[in-house]
Amino acid sequence: MRASAMPPAAPMSVDIRTLESTDPPPDARVRSPAGMVWARFRVNRGGMVALVFLVALAALAIAAPLVADLVGHGPNDLYRTTMVDIYGLPKGPNASFWFGADSAGRDLFVRVIYGARVSLLVGVVATAIAVVIGVVLGLIAGYRGGALDTLFSRMSDVVLAMPLLLFAIGISSACSTTPQGCVAGTLTPGVNLVIVIIAIFSWPAMFRIVRATTLSMRESTFIEASRAIGMRERNIMFREVLPNLLSPVVVYAALLIPQSILFEAYLSFLGLGVPDSTPSWGGMLDQASQLFTVAWWLMVFPGIFLLATILAFNVVADGLRDAFDPRASE
Amino acid sequence: MIDGTRTRPLLEVQSLTKRFPLTRGVIFAHSRGAVHAVEDVTFTVARGRTLGIVGESGSGKSTTARMIARLIDPTSGTIAVDGTDITRLVGADLRTLRQQVQMVFQDAYGSLNPRQTAGQIVGAPLRVHHVPGDRRAHVAGLLERVGLNPEHAARYPHEFSGGQRQRIGIARALALSPTLMILDEPVSALDVSVQAHVLNLLTDLQDEHGITYVVISHDLGVIRHLADRVAVIYLGRIVELADAAAITAPRHPYTAALVSAAPAQPGTGTGTTRQRIVLTGDAPSAITLPTGCAFHARCPKARLISGDPHRVPERCRSERPPLGPDADGRQLACWYPLESGDDLIGAAQAMAIPVSGAQA
Ligand SMILES: Nc1ncnc2c1ncn2[C@@H]1O[C@H](COP(=O)(O)OP(=O)(O)OP(=O)(O)O)[C@@H](O)[C@H]1O
Ligand code: SF4
Ligand SMILES: [Mg+2]
């Protein structure tokens, strides 16, 4: 009965196996999306240089105690007699103190390497917390909409509207007055407190990006297709939408890390970050600000490391964004 | 066929209507009219048969498909599959329905998650519905059945050609052995040379499994290739519903325009060039529907009746023709159906639009 009045169309029975030759065969190289991103990133020279720098810095930071052993100076060892002159001023770089000493007579090189630990730790951990909060809330808000969306969006608006530094100073000084800290002793002064403060202030940016991406993806055909096969909404959210958020989340996380590092440096510079016994680049710059007219190295070495690290993360983020952008490949 | 349950159509759509409200205002959202995407659509499809729905872009074809697949809820009307109204199913019942009714999407590439392999995509329905057995082998069998190399299960959608992507979509729809399959423009995004192969695959699958099809297209050639019956839809309403064989001799002026625009050989694009009825202007807005017959502003037949290329009969302008059977049993919504000898091409030309071979 089908189309009986028709002139015969294309040949009615086609051997299915011959079809491969009709449709052009796909690219012979089988590559996962992640593999393609890496392939595109690799050819980006600036991105690779920055990545190598960061990997080397991370290796140094992890091996900081080893470095201290090799140099023979601990980060808090005082060399008052050899490295501080009679006027109390630190001495500059020499053969055994490559970056010179600070005003307490401590080896600046060893302290800068230890400072990388704090910076990277704070940057990575605070960003990780912000990513988890931002992704979970953003996914729910963007996909579910409704009252939860309103609630989470208002929460992020409020955080973004807060005078950031003022609140950070308030929280950190409130929690730093006693060794017991605040919030029933859960937030003790030091690196933990800095990480929590930074995470509180950086999740809204991640939230907004995830929410907006989810919102547009919610209408896409492959989500509709998942619904058509009977997939549950929660599984659609975490199995279908979430993997597609990888690119904006990774790129934005790479941008959040240097922001967090800088934030930590601000706090430490203001004396509200990590205690002086824990070397940090911000804290060193704080000390340098009073002495750099007579001791340039105090400002230059931590400054260069801070700058180079921030720059490297931004270059890597840029490279990742290009590598993720499909338009860059076509 | 005497038994009443056996002759009951698999799909019965009754007075199906979908209006998308247009809301204005950010803080105090209030409704300002609606898009009348689908209006009072009624049809049935017998088990194992194919209904074709044809119409211009924006005529409400995909909206109808998405309502039948329960992806959007109708504003009113009922959809019965196997005698059960599915429009209000929720929870476990809805999930059971999903196994029966599957859909192949207009945008084949967009319907595939770019971060999943072909194997994961085709296996997803099996996973969701906990289909027992060796899933990998099942997926390989499905891929093979739709003409794909099972070894390509590890590839991602971007690595396939357009035709292969649509095959992945078909394999996914096939995975749960549905009784009803909605094919929304199954080949419109494909090269003409690939179209025929995919259409043949669909025909073979139907013959093998006795699946009931609702196939949607703006291309009458595709419809004629697959369908037993054809519903012609204009601005959300069925204007003509007839056997596929009879649609080549249309009685509704709009169908006549579609037929004259379609190449004689379906799916190949190499038809004999004929003169076409060229419609003037775009389809009217689905927000403010025209009064009377929705087609009256573009209808050549109405000009033939009035005898003036710039006038239409009062009846066409003021009274909407209802869909009803004509003497041959086809459904028709027109006050002045085509008679043999009507010169629609002449009338269309007289509407001051040059007849061209390039535009429909
Ligand atoms: N979610 C929606 N919200 C508002 N309007 C919609 C929505 N979906 C469809 N429409 C409108 O409903 C009408 C019918 O759309 P539909 O997608 O069903 O058309 P179609 O026949 O499938 O067209 P095409 O051939 O372009 O796919 C159009 O005017 C469209 O703009
Ligand atoms: S009712 Fe009138 S305007 Fe509508 S299709 Fe028929 S002749 Fe044309
Ligand atoms: Mg459509």
Side-chain angles (χ1 to χ4, degrees):
Chain A
M1 183 67 215
R2 177 181 299 116
S4 52
M6 290 291 105
M12 278 312 281
S13 71
V14 167
D15 184 354
I16 290 296
R17 278 159 303 183
T18 65
L19 291 173
E20 284 301 295
S21 55
T22 314
D23 282 347
D27 194 330
R29 297 158 299 165
V30 177
R31 269 193 190 152
S32 67
M36 285 181 15
V37 168
W38 174 236
R40 284 197 288 260
F41 186 82
R42 278 178 58 166
V43 298
N44 176 342
R45 187 169 304 159
M48 283 306 281
V49 169
L51 188 65
V52 167
F53 170 80
L54 290 176
V55 169
L57 186 71
L60 269 182
I62 291 166
L66 218 64
V67 173
D69 271 3
L70 285 177
V71 176
H73 311 143
N76 287 312
D77 292 352
L78 306 177
Y79 297 89
R80 285 188 192 285
T81 47
T82 47
M83 290 308 289
V84 181
D85 68 16
I86 48 167
Y87 306 108
L89 294 177
K91 292 184 183 169
N94 60 38
S96 75
F97 290 78
W98 298 345
F99 290 178
D102 69 5
S103 54
R106 295 174 295 197
D107 185 337
L108 196 65
F109 173 70
V110 173
R111 283 181 73 78
V112 165
I113 298 301
Y114 266 86
R117 290 189 134 192
V118 172
S119 288
L120 292 180
L121 184 77
V122 169
V124 170
V125 176
T127 300
I129 296 173
V131 165
V132 170
I133 299 175
V135 167
V136 170
L137 297 191
L139 198 56
I140 294 172
Y143 193 78
R144 289 275 163 84
L148 283 180
D149 180 21
T150 311
L151 176 71
F152 297 157
S153 295
R154 289 300 88 79
M155 273 163 55
S156 84
D157 289 348
V158 166
V159 173
L160 285 174
M162 288 205 280
L164 184 150
L165 215 48
L166 221 58
F167 269 77
I169 292 167
I171 298 172
S172 64
S173 52
C175 293
S176 302
T177 43
T178 66
Q180 284 76 42
C182 57
V183 199
T186 46
L187 284 183
T188 48
V191 177
N192 287 350
L193 179 62
V194 172
I195 287 174
V196 168
I197 290 173
I198 294 174
I200 287 174
F201 283 101
S202 31
W203 71 266
M206 187 58 83
F207 166 83
R208 288 192 161 188
I209 282 181
V210 170
R211 179 181 172 275
T213 316
T214 307
L215 210 56
S216 67
M217 208 179 302
R218 192 172 65 169
E219 308 298 329
S220 66
T221 312
F222 71 84
I223 297 302
E224 196 161 52
S226 309
R227 231 169 259 147
I229 62 169
M231 196 176 284
R232 290 175 198 280
E233 293 296 304
R234 185 163 22 91
N235 288 339
I236 294 179
M237 237 163 72
F238 288 102
R239 291 198 186 153
E240 305 286 325
V241 179
L242 187 59
N244 282 284
L245 294 172
L246 188 70
S247 125
V249 168
V250 166
V251 170
Y252 206 74
L255 286 171
L256 265 187
I257 293 176
Q259 277 181 34
S260 305
I261 290 176
L262 212 52
F263 201 163
E264 181 274 329
Y266 285 146
L267 290 179
S268 298
F269 184 84
L270 294 172
L272 298 164
V274 296
D276 189 50
S277 57
T278 311
S280 86
W281 295 339
M284 289 177 227
L285 289 173
D286 177 26
Q287 217 186 56
S289 64
Q290 294 137 32
L291 286 172
F292 83 98
T293 44
V294 288
W296 55 270
W297 55 92
L298 288 183
M299 173 97 24
V300 166
F301 292 110
I304 283 176
F305 269 75
L306 182 62
L307 207 73
T309 306
I310 306 255
L311 192 69
F313 271 111
N314 279 294
V315 170
V316 167
D318 251 20
L320 281 174
R321 189 174 43 221
D322 290 346
F324 271 116
D325 188 352
R327 278 165 301 180
S329 72
E330 267 146 43
Chain B
M1 286 299 193
I2 296 148
D3 180 3
T5 54
R6 286 191 136 263
T7 52
R8 175 151 205 178
L10 179 80
L11 175 66
E12 296 159 280
V13 170
Q14 182 69 49
S15 306
L16 196 60
T17 298
K18 180 69 187 182
R19 297 189 183 133
F20 294 105
L22 297 167
T23 49
R24 292 258 179 80
V26 180
I27 298 170
F28 301 105
H30 49 277
S31 183
R32 287 271 178 83
V35 178
H36 297 244
V38 176
E39 283 288 316
D40 196 17
V41 161
T42 299
F43 59 79
T44 62
V45 191
R47 191 179 294 274
R49 293 309 185 91
T50 302
L51 174 82
I53 300 180
V54 66
E56 285 172 295
S57 182
S59 54
K61 306 182 296 295
S62 294
T63 305
T64 307
R66 292 166 73 218
M67 283 192 282
I68 299 172
R70 274 304 306 272
L71 293 170
I72 51 174
D73 291 328
T75 307
S76 64
T78 59
I79 302 161
V81 174
D82 239 347
T84 315
D85 182 10
I86 63 161
T87 46
R88 266 167 275 283
L89 292 185
V90 287
D93 293 337
L94 183 57
R95 279 164 66 82
T96 312
L97 174 81
R98 302 288 190 203
Q99 304 190 30
Q100 272 192 66
V101 182
Q102 280 293 303
M103 180 150 166
V104 172
F105 291 87
Q106 181 165 5
D107 174 12
Y109 194 22
S111 79
L112 308 176
N113 191 330
R115 300 221 170 259
Q116 291 178 3
T117 64
Q120 289 173 316
I121 291 168
V122 173
L126 306 172
R127 199 189 65 222
V128 167
H129 291 276
H130 309 292
V131 174
D134 180 356
R135 195 168 300 150
R136 188 184 289 266
H138 199 153
V139 167
L142 285 165
L143 290 176
E144 195 153 24
R145 184 60 203 90
V146 299
L148 292 171
N149 185 345
E151 285 162 21
H152 293 177
R155 294 188 175 184
Y156 289 85
H158 70 89
E159 297 176 274
F160 291 95
S161 70
Q164 291 170 325
R165 286 170 192 155
Q166 194 55 286
R167 287 167 197 275
I168 296 173
I170 293 170
R172 168 173 59 191
L174 212 55
L176 296 171
S177 308
T179 50
L180 174 65
M181 215 141 126
I182 320 289
L183 308 161
D184 190 0
E185 305 271 12
V187 297
S188 63
L190 307 182
D191 286 348
V192 176
S193 60
V194 181
Q195 285 192 358
H197 293 307
V198 173
L199 291 178
N200 286 331
L201 169 66
L202 291 170
T203 313
D204 292 347
L205 290 174
Q206 183 171 44
D207 291 346
E208 268 171 51
H209 303 285
I211 311 171
T212 308
Y213 283 165
V214 173
V215 56
I216 286 169
S217 183
H218 65 275
D219 179 355
L220 204 61
V222 169
I223 295 290
R224 285 190 298 201
H225 196 125
L226 290 174
D228 302 299
R229 275 176 78 70
V230 179
V232 180
I233 185 167
Y234 186 77
L235 275 183
R237 282 182 194 273
I238 294 181
V239 294
E240 184 162 7
L241 180 61
D243 283 344
I247 209 77
T248 44
R251 295 211 64 207
H252 194 283
Y254 177 63
T255 316
L258 285 184
V259 170
S260 83
Q265 295 210 347
T268 61
T270 56
T272 45
T273 27
R274 296 169 300 173
Q275 285 204 305
R276 293 172 177 184
I277 304 165
V278 176
L279 296 178
T280 57
D282 296 326
S285 152
I287 299 166
T288 48
L289 288 174
T291 58
C293 174
F295 189 50
H296 78 246
R298 304 164 82 194
C299 179
K301 170 79 189 200
R303 273 73 183 176
L304 274 185
I305 296 293
S306 71
D308 175 349
H310 304 295
R311 278 192 51 238
V312 293
E314 176 58 28
R315 203 175 189 194
C316 296
R317 263 193 295 120
S318 57
E319 238 183 299
R320 185 162 47 74
L323 187 70
D326 74 350
D328 314 332
R330 81 167 83 196
Q331 303 278 321
L332 202 57
C334 176
W335 294 125
Y336 308 103
L338 293 187
E339 309 293 345
S340 55
D342 281 348
D343 179 18
L344 280 198
I345 292 170
Q349 275 171 321
M351 286 168 82
I353 299 299
V355 171
S356 82
Q359 229 188 327

